[in-house]
Amino acid sequence: MRNNLHSRKINFVQDFLRIQNEAVIRRFEDMLRQEQLKLAEADLSYPMSLEELNTVIDQAEKDDRNGRLTNADDLKKEIDNWE
């Protein structure tokens, strides 16, 4: 089943790349944004359990202790250098 989905995505992308009509591409872009928003909203509608929250907090504290965090100022500087 997974291979079938992968093949379908490849076929879709190939078909999409052949589209020459800007209005059609714009409709696909709009549809994609709408679907991404729906998925994001669905993720927010299912709050994590207390156990999941504690796991996330524990991981964040471990990342902090091991120097795997980036402060906001450094992140802004890094983003400014993106091209």
Side-chain angles (χ1 to χ4, degrees):
M1 182 120 186
R2 182 182 172 122
N3 286 337
N4 185 35
L5 179 60
H6 183 72
S7 296
R8 287 174 54 202
K9 291 191 306 187
I10 289 172
N11 289 334
F12 179 84
V13 169
Q14 289 172 339
D15 289 342
F16 181 81
L17 291 172
R18 287 187 204 100
I19 296 172
Q20 297 298 315
N21 186 311
E22 187 174 341
V24 172
I25 292 175
R26 190 176 308 114
R27 288 198 312 256
F28 274 114
E29 290 171 334
D30 292 342
M31 184 177 57
L32 180 60
R33 273 190 225 98
Q34 289 172 4
E35 291 303 315
Q36 288 172 328
L37 284 173
K38 286 179 190 176
L39 290 172
E41 288 172 2
D43 284 345
L44 294 175
S45 67
Y46 296 103
M48 63 179 79
S49 69
L50 185 57
E51 182 179 330
E52 290 170 319
L53 176 61
N54 284 329
T55 300
V56 169
I57 291 170
D58 290 344
Q59 183 62 50
E61 290 174 340
K62 187 185 297 182
D63 288 341
D64 184 38
R65 282 192 304 274
N66 292 314
R68 291 189 298 244
L69 297 182
T70 302
N71 70 44
D73 291 332
D74 290 342
L75 181 59
K76 288 177 187 175
K77 289 175 189 173
E78 184 178 329
I79 290 172
D80 288 340
N81 291 325
W82 291 356
E83 292 186 47

